[in-house]
PDB file of all heavy atoms in Angstrom:
ATOM      1  N   ALA B  44     -68.577-109.589 -22.927  1.00 98.00           N
ATOM      2  CA  ALA B  44     -69.571-110.599 -23.310  1.00 98.00           C
ATOM      3  C   ALA B  44     -69.217-111.982 -22.772  1.00 98.00           C
ATOM      4  O   ALA B  44     -70.095-112.759 -22.388  1.00 98.00           O
ATOM      5  CB  ALA B  44     -69.742-110.636 -24.819  1.00 98.00           C
ATOM      6  N   LEU B  45     -67.927-112.278 -22.703  1.00 98.00           N
ATOM      7  CA  LEU B  45     -67.505-113.591 -22.170  1.00 98.00           C
ATOM      8  C   LEU B  45     -67.831-113.664 -20.675  1.00 98.00           C
ATOM      9  O   LEU B  45     -68.431-114.659 -20.218  1.00 98.00           O
ATOM     10  CB  LEU B  45     -66.010-113.821 -22.406  1.00 98.00           C
ATOM     11  CG  LEU B  45     -65.451-115.105 -21.795  1.00 98.00           C
ATOM     12  CD1 LEU B  45     -66.124-116.342 -22.360  1.00 98.00           C
ATOM     13  CD2 LEU B  45     -63.924-115.199 -22.030  1.00 98.00           C
ATOM     14  N   GLY B  46     -67.462-112.635 -19.937  1.00 98.00           N
ATOM     15  CA  GLY B  46     -67.765-112.635 -18.505  1.00 98.00           C
ATOM     16  C   GLY B  46     -69.264-112.730 -18.241  1.00 98.00           C
ATOM     17  O   GLY B  46     -69.712-113.475 -17.378  1.00 98.00           O
ATOM     18  N   ALA B  47     -70.030-111.944 -19.016  1.00 98.00           N
ATOM     19  CA  ALA B  47     -71.489-111.967 -18.850  1.00 98.00           C
ATOM     20  C   ALA B  47     -72.056-113.343 -19.164  1.00 98.00           C
ATOM     21  O   ALA B  47     -72.903-113.881 -18.429  1.00 98.00           O
ATOM     22  CB  ALA B  47     -72.130-110.924 -19.770  1.00 98.00           C
ATOM     23  N   SER B  48     -71.579-113.946 -20.238  1.00 98.00           N
ATOM     24  CA  SER B  48     -72.103-115.260 -20.677  1.00 98.00           C
ATOM     25  C   SER B  48     -71.720-116.347 -19.680  1.00 98.00           C
ATOM     26  O   SER B  48     -72.523-117.268 -19.428  1.00 98.00           O
ATOM     27  CB  SER B  48     -71.590-115.597 -22.073  1.00 98.00           C
ATOM     28  OG  SER B  48     -71.975-114.598 -22.988  1.00 98.00           O
ATOM     29  N   GLN B  49     -70.536-116.248 -19.132  1.00 98.00           N
ATOM     30  CA  GLN B  49     -70.137-117.221 -18.106  1.00 98.00           C
ATOM     31  C   GLN B  49     -71.019-117.090 -16.873  1.00 98.00           C
ATOM     32  O   GLN B  49     -71.351-118.086 -16.235  1.00 98.00           O
ATOM     33  CB  GLN B  49     -68.663-117.027 -17.735  1.00 98.00           C
ATOM     34  CG  GLN B  49     -67.700-117.498 -18.822  1.00 98.00           C
ATOM     35  CD  GLN B  49     -67.708-119.005 -19.010  1.00 98.00           C
ATOM     36  OE1 GLN B  49     -67.871-119.751 -18.064  1.00 98.00           O
ATOM     37  NE2 GLN B  49     -67.580-119.456 -20.247  1.00 98.00           N
ATOM     38  N   ALA B  50     -71.370-115.834 -16.541  1.00 98.00           N
ATOM     39  CA  ALA B  50     -72.266-115.606 -15.405  1.00 98.00           C
ATOM     40  C   ALA B  50     -73.634-116.234 -15.654  1.00 98.00           C
ATOM     41  O   ALA B  50     -74.201-116.896 -14.783  1.00 98.00           O
ATOM     42  CB  ALA B  50     -72.406-114.117 -15.120  1.00 98.00           C
ATOM     43  N   LEU B  51     -74.149-116.053 -16.864  1.00 98.00           N
ATOM     44  CA  LEU B  51     -75.434-116.686 -17.226  1.00 98.00           C
ATOM     45  C   LEU B  51     -75.349-118.199 -17.110  1.00 98.00           C
ATOM     46  O   LEU B  51     -76.237-118.859 -16.546  1.00 98.00           O
ATOM     47  CB  LEU B  51     -75.833-116.348 -18.676  1.00 98.00           C
ATOM     48  CG  LEU B  51     -75.997-114.882 -19.057  1.00 98.00           C
ATOM     49  CD1 LEU B  51     -76.536-114.778 -20.477  1.00 98.00           C
ATOM     50  CD2 LEU B  51     -76.900-114.139 -18.088  1.00 98.00           C
ATOM     51  N   LEU B  52     -74.259-118.754 -17.631  1.00 98.00           N
ATOM     52  CA  LEU B  52     -74.095-120.213 -17.626  1.00 98.00           C
ATOM     53  C   LEU B  52     -74.014-120.761 -16.195  1.00 98.00           C
ATOM     54  O   LEU B  52     -74.690-121.746 -15.841  1.00 98.00           O
ATOM     55  CB  LEU B  52     -72.867-120.603 -18.451  1.00 98.00           C
ATOM     56  CG  LEU B  52     -72.560-122.087 -18.520  1.00 98.00           C
ATOM     57  CD1 LEU B  52     -73.716-122.863 -19.171  1.00 98.00           C
ATOM     58  CD2 LEU B  52     -71.267-122.337 -19.332  1.00 98.00           C
ATOM     59  N   LYS B  53     -73.195-120.109 -15.354  1.00 98.00           N
ATOM     60  CA  LYS B  53     -73.085-120.598 -13.973  1.00 98.00           C
ATOM     61  C   LYS B  53     -74.392-120.477 -13.226  1.00 98.00           C
ATOM     62  O   LYS B  53     -74.748-121.353 -12.429  1.00 98.00           O
ATOM     63  CB  LYS B  53     -71.985-119.803 -13.230  1.00 98.00           C
ATOM     64  CG  LYS B  53     -70.601-120.222 -13.636  1.00 98.00           C
ATOM     65  CD  LYS B  53     -69.554-119.733 -12.634  1.00 98.00           C
ATOM     66  CE  LYS B  53     -68.182-120.207 -13.087  1.00 98.00           C
ATOM     67  NZ  LYS B  53     -67.106-119.848 -12.142  1.00 98.00           N
ATOM     68  N   PHE B  54     -75.086-119.368 -13.462  1.00 98.00           N
ATOM     69  CA  PHE B  54     -76.422-119.143 -12.887  1.00 98.00           C
ATOM     70  C   PHE B  54     -77.351-120.285 -13.311  1.00 98.00           C
ATOM     71  O   PHE B  54     -77.987-120.947 -12.459  1.00 98.00           O
ATOM     72  CB  PHE B  54     -76.924-117.787 -13.374  1.00 98.00           C
ATOM     73  CG  PHE B  54     -78.263-117.344 -12.827  1.00 98.00           C
ATOM     74  CD1 PHE B  54     -78.517-117.340 -11.470  1.00 98.00           C
ATOM     75  CD2 PHE B  54     -79.259-116.874 -13.689  1.00 98.00           C
ATOM     76  CE1 PHE B  54     -79.745-116.883 -10.973  1.00 98.00           C
ATOM     77  CE2 PHE B  54     -80.480-116.425 -13.207  1.00 98.00           C
ATOM     78  CZ  PHE B  54     -80.729-116.439 -11.839  1.00 98.00           C
ATOM     79  N   ASN B  55     -77.406-120.530 -14.611  1.00 98.00           N
ATOM     80  CA  ASN B  55     -78.268-121.587 -15.145  1.00 98.00           C
ATOM     81  C   ASN B  55     -77.936-122.951 -14.552  1.00 98.00           C
ATOM     82  O   ASN B  55     -78.842-123.718 -14.176  1.00 98.00           O
ATOM     83  CB  ASN B  55     -78.103-121.708 -16.666  1.00 98.00           C
ATOM     84  CG  ASN B  55     -78.766-120.554 -17.400  1.00 98.00           C
ATOM     85  OD1 ASN B  55     -79.594-119.835 -16.833  1.00 98.00           O
ATOM     86  ND2 ASN B  55     -78.384-120.350 -18.648  1.00 98.00           N
ATOM     87  N   MET B  56     -76.651-123.269 -14.501  1.00 98.00           N
ATOM     88  CA  MET B  56     -76.260-124.609 -14.037  1.00 98.00           C
ATOM     89  C   MET B  56     -76.673-124.815 -12.577  1.00 98.00           C
ATOM     90  O   MET B  56     -77.165-125.891 -12.206  1.00 98.00           O
ATOM     91  CB  MET B  56     -74.750-124.811 -14.223  1.00 98.00           C
ATOM     92  CG  MET B  56     -74.375-124.988 -15.697  1.00 98.00           C
ATOM     93  SD  MET B  56     -72.584-124.969 -16.018  1.00 98.00           S
ATOM     94  CE  MET B  56     -72.110-126.578 -15.369  1.00 98.00           C
ATOM     95  N   ALA B  57     -76.488-123.788 -11.771  1.00 98.00           N
ATOM     96  CA  ALA B  57     -76.889-123.898 -10.366  1.00 98.00           C
ATOM     97  C   ALA B  57     -78.408-124.021 -10.257  1.00 98.00           C
ATOM     98  O   ALA B  57     -78.917-124.814  -9.444  1.00 98.00           O
ATOM     99  CB  ALA B  57     -76.406-122.671  -9.572  1.00 98.00           C
ATOM    100  N   LEU B  58     -79.131-123.283 -11.080  1.00 98.00           N
ATOM    101  CA  LEU B  58     -80.581-123.385 -11.073  1.00 98.00           C
ATOM    102  C   LEU B  58     -81.024-124.793 -11.511  1.00 98.00           C
ATOM    103  O   LEU B  58     -81.888-125.414 -10.892  1.00 98.00           O
ATOM    104  CB  LEU B  58     -81.227-122.336 -12.015  1.00 98.00           C
ATOM    105  CG  LEU B  58     -81.109-120.874 -11.601  1.00 98.00           C
ATOM    106  CD1 LEU B  58     -81.652-119.959 -12.715  1.00 98.00           C
ATOM    107  CD2 LEU B  58     -81.883-120.605 -10.306  1.00 98.00           C
ATOM    108  N   ILE B  59     -80.398-125.285 -12.563  1.00 98.00           N
ATOM    109  CA  ILE B  59     -80.763-126.611 -13.080  1.00 98.00           C
ATOM    110  C   ILE B  59     -80.522-127.680 -12.027  1.00 98.00           C
ATOM    111  O   ILE B  59     -81.331-128.607 -11.864  1.00 98.00           O
ATOM    112  CB  ILE B  59     -79.974-126.915 -14.399  1.00 98.00           C
ATOM    113  CG1 ILE B  59     -80.509-126.036 -15.538  1.00 98.00           C
ATOM    114  CG2 ILE B  59     -80.049-128.383 -14.773  1.00 98.00           C
ATOM    115  CD1 ILE B  59     -79.604-125.981 -16.780  1.00 98.00           C
ATOM    116  N   ASP B  60     -79.410-127.567 -11.315  1.00 98.00           N
ATOM    117  CA  ASP B  60     -79.095-128.549 -10.249  1.00 98.00           C
ATOM    118  C   ASP B  60     -80.231-128.692  -9.249  1.00 98.00           C
ATOM    119  O   ASP B  60     -80.514-129.795  -8.771  1.00 98.00           O
ATOM    120  CB  ASP B  60     -77.814-128.148  -9.514  1.00 98.00           C
ATOM    121  CG  ASP B  60     -76.559-128.508 -10.305  1.00 98.00           C
ATOM    122  OD1 ASP B  60     -76.627-129.384 -11.187  1.00 98.00           O
ATOM    123  OD2 ASP B  60     -75.512-127.898 -10.027  1.00 98.00           O
ATOM    124  N   GLU B  61     -80.873-127.576  -8.941  1.00 98.00           N
ATOM    125  CA  GLU B  61     -81.998-127.621  -7.992  1.00 98.00           C
ATOM    126  C   GLU B  61     -83.327-127.950  -8.691  1.00 98.00           C
ATOM    127  O   GLU B  61     -84.113-128.775  -8.216  1.00 98.00           O
ATOM    128  CB  GLU B  61     -82.135-126.288  -7.252  1.00 98.00           C
ATOM    129  CG  GLU B  61     -80.977-125.950  -6.328  1.00 98.00           C
ATOM    130  CD  GLU B  61     -80.886-126.879  -5.108  1.00 98.00           C
ATOM    131  OE1 GLU B  61     -81.933-127.420  -4.699  1.00 98.00           O
ATOM    132  OE2 GLU B  61     -79.780-127.085  -4.589  1.00 98.00           O
TER     133      GLU B  61
END
Side-chain angles (χ1 to χ4, degrees):
Chain B
L45 176 60
S48 300
Q49 288 291 326
L51 301 186
L52 180 60
K53 285 197 179 183
F54 183 52
N55 287 343
M56 288 171 73
L58 291 174
I59 289 166
D60 281 339
E61 294 292 333

